[in-house]
Amino acid sequence: MQMKKFTKSFLYLLLSVSAVCVWNCKDEKDEPTPPKPDTPTPPAEVIVKLSADKQSVKANGVDSLVVTITADDDTVVPEVVVISKSETNNIDTLKELIFREKEAGKYILYAMYKGEAKDSVSVSVEPIIVTLSADKALIKANGKDIVRLSVEADGVDVTSLSTVTVADVDSTVLDSLAFATKHPSIYTFTATYDGITSNQISVEATEVVLLLQADKQTIKANASEKATLKVTADGVDVTSSSTLYRKKGDGANKIADTPVFFTDEAGNYTFTAIYDGDTTNAIAVEATYVDLVFFKQYLIWEFTSTTCDICPRLMPVIRELQAGLPGRIHRVALHMGGKHCTSALAGALGPVANALSNDDFFPSETVDLRWVEGLYPTTTKKHIQEQIDASAKNRDAAETGMAIDSKISGTDINFTIRVKSNTQRNYSFFAFIVEDEVVHTQFVEVEDDGDDDPNNNYIIDRNYIHYDVATYVTEGEPRTGVSLGMVVPGQETVKTFTIHTAEINAKREVNLQNCRIVGYTIRPDGVLDNVIDCPVGESLYYQYNK
C-alpha cells in the first residue's frame, strides 16, 4: 500500500520538472540572441637583440667595447636604450653605444625597449696591473751607486706618468726614479699610476767597507825609510780620492799631503782617512829614533871686486866644483868696499866684506871663516878643493840640518828657519841674501887688450852678469851669527827673521825675485857646520844623506 503511494508521488514530481523545462526551452528559442562586440587583436612581440664586439675591457676608462642593437622591426632600434649594471647595482646609460669603465668587475648590459629588458650581454672589466721594477736589488750606500726604477701598466711603460714612494717615516715621494743613498738600510718602494698602486719592491743599500792600510807598522825616523798608506772602498783603491790625516801622539790631526810617510821625528803616529764623507779605521805607525845623517853642504865666500880682472877666473872653477859635488857647493860673492870696488855692488856690505877678508885681501876665498886663502891663477882650484877635502875628511857628516819657509811681503823678506841636530850643542845661525843676474861693469882679463902694456891686459865689460851678489844679511855677525840655544836631538829649534829691505841702502835697485837665502849653522868653536840655499819666497825641507 505504501509502495504504490510512493510511486505515484515520484511520477507527479517528474512531470512537473519536465513541464518547467519545456516552458523555458520555448522562451529561449523564441527570443533572438544579441550580437557580441569586436575584440582587438594583440600586436606581435618585438624581438630585440644586443651584441658586443668583445667580452672584456681594461679598467682604465679608455679601453672600450661597442654594442650593436638589432631588431625584427628596424623602426624600433632608435628607441632602444642600453644600460650597464655593475655587481654593486650601479646603473649607467651607455652613450653612443660605447662601454668603458675604470672600476674592475662583472657588468651586464641590457637593451631596454619601452622600459622592458629585451636582451642582455655580460662583459668583464679587467683590473690594470701596475708593476714596479728595479734594475738591481743591491746597491752600495755611498751616495753614488744608483738603482733605477721603472713602472709598467699591463706591459706598457708609464714610468714618466707615475710617482714612486719610498717607505720611511714620511713616505717620501722620489723626485727622480734614480735612487742613491749614503745610509745603509733596506728600502721599500711602491708606485702609483692613474690612482692605481703597484706592487712593492725592496732594495738593500749595504755599507761601504772602507779600509786604511800601511805596508809597514814600524819605520826608522831617519827621513828615508817610508811607510806607504792605501785606502780601499770595497776592495777598490781610492787613495787618490781620499784625504789622509796624521797625528803624532796626542797632538792635533794634520792633513797628510801624500800617502807616503817618512819622518825624522821619532814617535807614535796615528793615521785616518776620509773618503766620500766617511771615515776609515785608524792605523798606527811607529817611527823609532835613529841618529840623523844630514846632507853635508859647503859655502864658498868669494871676496871680489869689479876692478879685479882676474876675479872672474874663479867663477868657472866654482861651477866645476859644483858639478862634481851636486847640491853641496854654494857661493856668496862679497864685493869689497872702498876705492877698489864700485859702491853699487858692494852696497851696504862693503865694510862686512873688508872685515871678513882681512881688509882688502882679494881675490880670496874661504870655506871656513877662521882663515882666508888668497887666490892665484895657478892655485885657485887647488886651494878650494883642498879646503873642501879637509873639511869633508875631518867632519864627514854635518851635525845639523835645516828647513826653511820664506815669503816676500811688499819690500820685506820673511823667513823661518828650523834646525835639527844629531849632537846636543849650542848652535848659531847666519844668512846672506844674495842676488843673481845683476848686470854691472866688470874688469875682465884678456890675453891682449891691444895696448903696449903687457902687464895690464884687460877690458871693461859693461854688461857683465854677476851671480851670488851678497846684498842683505840677517842680524848678528857672519862669524858668530845669532844664537839658537841648545839644540837637542829629536827636537826642532825654530827662529824667524825679517829683513826690511826698504830700510837698507843697497845702492842699486834689487830684484827680490832673483834673490836667494844662503844660510848656515855655526858650532860653538866657530866652525861652519852646514848650509842651506833657498830662493826667496820658497820653502825647502831637511835634506839627508841617501
Side-chain angles (χ1 to χ4, degrees):
M1 185 68 179
Q2 289 181 347
M3 184 62 179
K4 288 182 178 182
K5 187 177 182 180
F6 172 77
T7 303
K8 202 187 245 192
S9 299
F10 178 74
L11 291 173
Y12 177 76
L13 177 62
L14 181 62
L15 288 173
S16 297
V17 171
S18 298
V20 172
C21 289
V22 169
W23 174 258
N24 289 337
C25 289
K26 178 182 177 182
D27 290 343
E28 291 177 1
K29 183 176 179 182
D30 293 340
E31 294 179 8
T33 302
K36 293 182 179 181
D38 293 335
T39 300
T41 303
E45 183 178 358
V46 176
I47 298 175
V48 177
K49 293 294 184 183
L50 184 66
S51 62
D53 62 349
K54 53 185 177 181
Q55 301 304 307
S56 65
V57 293
K58 288 292 183 181
N60 56 14
V62 176
D63 192 17
S64 64
L65 60 81
V66 178
V67 298
T68 302
I69 302 170
T70 60
D72 53 358
D73 183 355
D74 292 339
T75 62
V76 306
V77 172
E79 298 182 44
V80 177
V81 176
V82 179
I83 64 172
S84 67
K85 182 180 180 182
S86 69
E87 293 174 308
T88 57
N89 293 320
N90 289 328
I91 297 175
D92 290 308
T93 301
L94 268 63
K95 296 180 180 179
E96 299 179 356
L97 302 182
I98 296 174
F99 175 74
R100 57 174 65 91
E101 183 59 56
K102 284 189 175 182
E103 184 177 344
K106 300 293 184 180
Y107 290 77
I108 300 176
L109 306 181
Y110 293 96
M112 305 295 295
Y113 178 68
K114 293 185 177 182
E116 181 181 357
K118 292 295 185 179
D119 198 8
S120 66
V121 293
S122 295
V123 296
S124 62
V125 178
E126 303 295 338
I128 299 294
I129 305 300
V130 177
T131 304
L132 175 64
S133 59
D135 61 351
K136 49 189 170 182
L138 191 68
I139 60 173
K140 288 295 181 181
N142 57 12
K144 296 179 180 180
D145 196 6
I146 295 173
V147 57
R148 300 186 186 279
L149 306 171
S150 59
V151 185
E152 290 185 348
D154 289 332
V156 178
D157 190 339
V158 293
T159 305
S160 62
L161 303 175
S162 306
T163 58
V164 176
T165 302
V166 57
D168 57 16
V169 176
D170 300 318
S171 295
T172 304
V173 175
L174 298 183
D175 295 331
S176 166
L177 296 184
F179 176 76
T181 183
K182 286 188 175 182
H183 305 289
S185 184
I186 296 177
Y187 294 86
T188 302
F189 301 88
T190 54
T192 301
Y193 165 70
D194 199 24
I196 303 170
T197 302
S198 74
N199 56 306
Q200 287 187 342
I201 63 171
S202 294
V203 175
E204 183 177 4
T206 60
E207 185 176 5
V208 176
V209 179
L210 285 179
L211 182 62
L212 175 62
Q213 299 170 290
D215 62 350
K216 296 180 182 178
Q217 280 69 53
T218 303
I219 61 172
K220 294 178 181 178
N222 59 6
S224 177
E225 188 174 0
K226 302 175 177 64
T228 301
L229 308 175
K230 183 170 73 171
V231 184
T232 58
D234 290 328
V236 178
D237 191 336
V238 293
T239 307
S240 61
S241 302
S242 304
T243 303
L244 293 166
Y245 291 88
R246 178 187 72 240
K247 72 174 181 178
K248 180 183 179 184
D250 296 326
N253 260 341
K254 297 180 179 180
I255 293 179
D257 296 329
T258 171
V260 178
F261 171 65
F262 59 92
T263 183
D264 53 13
E265 296 183 10
N268 293 312
Y269 293 82
T270 302
F271 295 86
T272 54
I274 294 179
Y275 170 70
D276 201 26
D278 295 323
T279 303
T280 67
N281 55 303
I283 62 172
V285 176
E286 181 184 6
T288 59
Y289 177 80
V290 294
D291 286 335
L292 299 175
V293 181
F294 299 103
F295 184 68
K296 175 67 177 179
Q297 301 175 65
Y298 304 91
L299 179 59
I300 297 174
W301 287 268
E302 179 188 344
F303 301 99
T304 185
S305 170
T306 57
T307 59
C308 172
D309 59 344
I310 65 171
C311 288
R313 288 185 180 186
L314 187 57
M315 192 63 181
V317 172
I318 294 176
R319 292 288 185 257
E320 184 179 346
L321 290 169
Q322 288 174 328
L325 294 169
R328 291 186 183 271
I329 306 296
H330 307 280
R331 172 180 180 253
V332 171
L334 287 150
H335 284 259
M336 310 301 292
K339 62 181 180 179
H340 300 294
C341 184
T342 58
S343 59
L345 290 190
L349 300 185
V352 175
N354 292 347
L356 290 176
S357 66
N358 296 326
D359 200 14
D360 294 355
F361 183 46
F362 73 93
S364 58
E365 59 74 34
T366 182
V367 295
D368 188 332
L369 283 174
R370 292 178 301 174
W371 65 83
V372 177
E373 292 287 339
L375 299 176
Y376 302 95
T378 57
T379 59
T380 298
K381 182 178 180 181
K382 178 182 177 183
H383 277 167
I384 298 175
Q385 190 68 62
E386 285 177 350
Q387 291 183 70
I388 292 174
D389 290 346
S391 178
K393 181 178 180 179
N394 295 333
R395 304 174 187 89
D396 56 356
E399 294 179 358
T400 58
M402 288 166 281
I404 191 170
D405 297 294
S406 68
K407 65 179 181 179
I408 300 172
S409 299
T411 58
D412 291 346
I413 298 173
N414 301 298
F415 69 93
T416 298
I417 191 77
R418 293 177 285 146
V419 180
K420 293 181 180 180
S421 173
N422 54 35
T423 303
Q424 184 167 318
R425 290 180 187 267
N426 286 298
Y427 293 94
S428 299
F429 175 82
F430 191 81
F432 288 92
I433 308 299
V434 301
E435 185 182 11
D436 292 325
E437 299 181 0
V438 180
V439 179
H440 196 274
T441 299
Q442 176 65 50
F443 284 36
V444 179
E445 181 184 33
V446 294
E447 291 185 3
D448 186 0
D449 61 359
D451 63 17
D452 296 331
D453 185 357
N455 297 319
N456 193 20
N457 289 331
Y458 65 88
I459 61 171
I460 300 176
D461 185 348
R462 301 189 183 281
N463 294 304
Y464 189 86
I465 300 176
H466 296 263
Y467 291 86
D468 312 307
V469 179
T471 305
Y472 307 111
V473 291
T474 54
E475 57 189 280
E477 197 272 328
R479 287 189 175 91
T480 56
V482 175
S483 176
L484 298 173
M486 185 69 69
V487 182
V488 179
Q491 298 181 11
E492 187 175 62
T493 298
V494 180
K495 191 166 182 64
T496 298
F497 297 87
T498 298
I499 299 175
H500 303 288
T501 65
E503 300 175 5
I504 301 170
N505 184 12
K507 300 182 181 179
R508 71 176 190 279
E509 185 176 347
V510 178
N511 183 357
L512 296 183
Q513 301 297 329
N514 284 349
C515 291
R516 305 187 331 270
I517 302 167
V518 181
Y520 51 91
T521 48
I522 307 167
R523 299 179 187 178
D525 58 2
V527 173
L528 185 148
D529 184 72
N530 211 353
V531 181
I532 190 168
D533 189 331
C534 177
V536 170
E538 297 185 15
S539 300
L540 188 65
Y541 194 66
Y542 294 98
Q543 293 178 280
Y544 299 91
N545 279 346
K546 302 297 182 182

